Amino acid sequence: MGPGKRTLSPGKRSVLVALTVVCAVTVLAAPGTAFAAPSPGPSPSSSPTAVSNKDLEAVRQKLDKLYHAAAVATDEYNAAEEAAEKQSAEIVALAKKIVKGQEKLAELKKRAGAAAAAQYRSGGLPDEAQLMLSDDPQGFLDGAGRVLQGQRATKGLLAEMTRTQQDLEQYAKDASAQWQKLEAGRKAKAAAQKKIEQQIKAAEQLESRLEKEEKERLAELEKEAAYKAQTAWLDSGILEDIKGKASEQGREAVEYATEQLGKPYEWGAEGPKSYDCSGLTSQAWASAGQGIPRTSQEQWKQLKRIDIEDMRPGDLIIYHGDASHVAMYIGDGAIIHAPRPGRTVTVAGAGSMPILGVVRPDA
């Protein structure tokens, strides 16, 4: 981000204010509805049982924490699921190796048995005795050379059998280790699922205690918080520095993400009917021919990091200090993302949440 806060010209300022209005998060708005700047929240009702704006703000912050915890647990669940898929594939590959190894060992044993039978038919006499008893010394010597070659081949055969047996033992150990990892992953996945469901249930119960008018005021507070964050981000003049153009794959990823607007958030989902945040970004880039990690945390760890000033449409913005949320930058200070349970894939302001950094899948 550029150093210090910049003063913008009146014309540029009006453009940025308009952009702020368009991109501010309004998670309750239907896709395609123009984003309007939130007006100040209504005054608390005069009813003795009315919840004050201060109390509603506390509710909003509590909901943010609950849904954030659910997002972290969702990443844990997705990571465990991804690991389980890899471990299952590894177990299948090891099983195939074991089958081939067993077939190879059976063939080697068959050949070794044939060699042993041939040696038995020769009588097992020492070479010196066979030479003395032979009527054709030269023929014996020629035959002895072939026998020597056969003995060497038999030794090589036995050595290969030993190696094959050792390989089979190692494959079995590896398969056992993968099974243990798979079981540990299953438990981690179950624990993450339980945590997700607990956090979402707590959030839903908290919201269910609000009256209709209070829910509307809560929605206004959500919009105001997002608007305030987006405005502060734009006030830095950051858009003056962000001029990158999307790559061909980036355009394809943005097009895919755009087509998903309005589809519901569902934790652990990768489409096509619903998505969680990283499910949307990973599938968008998969559609563009670029495989990326499944979770937002792994996307942050593994993909190339880009300065915010250098980002371009298609890049992924990672949010929060624990990299628990991800969105796709689509240009002009806006993102497409799957926000949280109870919301749909939507357009929002890129600065409406705390930015950790930016990564580029096709760097």
Side-chain angles (χ1 to χ4, degrees):
M1 191 175 292
K5 181 177 178 180
R6 304 186 180 97
T7 301
L8 306 178
S9 65
K12 177 69 71 174
R13 177 66 181 170
S14 63
V15 171
L16 294 184
V17 170
L19 181 60
T20 303
V21 171
V22 172
C23 298
V25 173
T26 54
V27 291
L28 298 180
T33 302
F35 291 103
S39 58
S43 301
S45 169
S46 58
S47 170
T49 59
V51 178
S52 69
N53 274 1
K54 182 178 179 181
D55 290 337
L56 277 177
E57 176 60 21
V59 169
R60 185 191 70 79
Q61 293 179 9
K62 178 63 175 176
L63 286 172
D64 280 351
K65 289 180 180 179
L66 289 170
Y67 283 122
H68 178 262
V72 173
T74 298
D75 239 23
E76 294 171 359
Y77 177 92
N78 291 336
E81 186 174 57
E82 188 176 34
E85 290 176 357
K86 291 180 181 178
Q87 287 152 5
S88 297
E90 181 63 23
I91 289 171
V92 170
L94 286 167
K96 290 179 179 178
K97 287 182 179 180
I98 289 173
V99 171
K100 288 183 179 179
Q102 289 173 334
E103 292 174 348
K104 181 179 179 181
L105 186 60
E107 177 62 26
L108 290 171
K109 286 181 177 179
K110 182 179 178 182
R111 288 167 56 190
Q119 184 178 6
Y120 175 78
R121 287 194 297 271
S122 72
L125 292 173
D127 291 345
E128 296 85 349
Q130 292 191 41
L131 178 59
M132 292 177 67
L133 295 172
S134 175
D135 295 330
D136 182 5
Q138 184 60 48
F140 168 76
L141 292 173
D142 292 342
R146 289 192 295 273
V147 170
L148 181 60
Q149 291 177 354
Q151 290 175 341
R152 289 173 178 169
T154 300
K155 288 182 180 179
L157 189 62
L158 293 174
E160 189 172 1
M161 285 176 61
T162 300
R163 287 194 299 271
T164 301
Q165 288 175 325
Q166 291 173 342
D167 286 345
L168 282 171
E169 290 174 1
Q170 187 60 51
Y171 295 154
K173 289 179 182 178
D174 291 345
S176 177
Q178 290 299 332
W179 275 115
Q180 290 175 2
K181 289 181 180 178
L182 193 61
E183 178 62 13
R186 184 192 67 77
K187 292 179 180 178
K189 185 176 172 182
Q193 178 174 347
K194 184 178 180 181
K195 194 184 302 183
I196 294 166
E197 292 171 346
Q198 287 175 339
Q199 300 297 332
I200 293 176
K201 183 178 180 180
E204 290 174 343
Q205 288 178 340
L206 183 60
E207 288 184 285
S208 69
R209 291 196 289 265
L210 299 175
E211 299 294 336
K212 179 180 178 182
E213 183 267 344
E214 292 165 348
K215 289 179 181 179
E216 291 173 351
R217 285 161 51 205
L218 178 62
E220 287 296 321
L221 290 175
E222 288 179 343
K223 289 188 285 185
E224 286 177 19
Y227 175 81
K228 182 178 179 181
Q230 174 72 352
T231 301
W233 187 69
L234 291 175
D235 279 347
S236 70
I238 186 64
L239 283 188
E240 289 188 343
D241 296 326
I242 302 175
K243 300 175 182 178
K245 295 183 179 180
S247 64
E248 182 176 348
Q249 282 186 306
R251 285 194 296 273
E252 292 177 7
V254 169
E255 182 178 348
Y256 179 95
T258 303
E259 291 172 353
Q260 312 315 309
L261 287 171
K263 293 185 178 180
Y265 177 102
E266 181 182 358
W267 63 265
E270 301 176 77
K273 295 182 179 180
S274 58
Y275 297 88
D276 62 20
C277 66
S278 56
L280 176 64
T281 55
S282 60
Q283 288 303 305
W285 272 99
S287 75
Q290 181 69 45
I292 63 173
R294 170 65 177 87
T295 70
S296 59
Q297 292 178 342
E298 288 303 310
Q299 289 171 6
W300 174 242
K301 289 179 183 177
Q302 297 185 35
L303 300 180
K304 184 176 180 180
R305 298 181 184 182
I306 301 297
D307 290 338
I308 293 179
E309 294 88 343
D310 298 328
M311 71 178 174
R312 63 194 187 194
D315 286 346
L316 306 181
I317 303 181
I318 309 296
Y319 292 96
H320 308 296
D322 54 7
S324 58
H325 190 69
V326 61
M328 178 175 292
Y329 185 64
I330 59 174
D332 294 329
I335 57 171
I336 287 178
H337 72 144
R340 65 167 176 84
R343 303 294 189 250
T344 61
V345 176
T346 188
V347 175
S352 58
M353 296 171 284
I355 296 176
L356 177 60
V358 181
V359 294
R360 178 166 295 164
D362 61 339

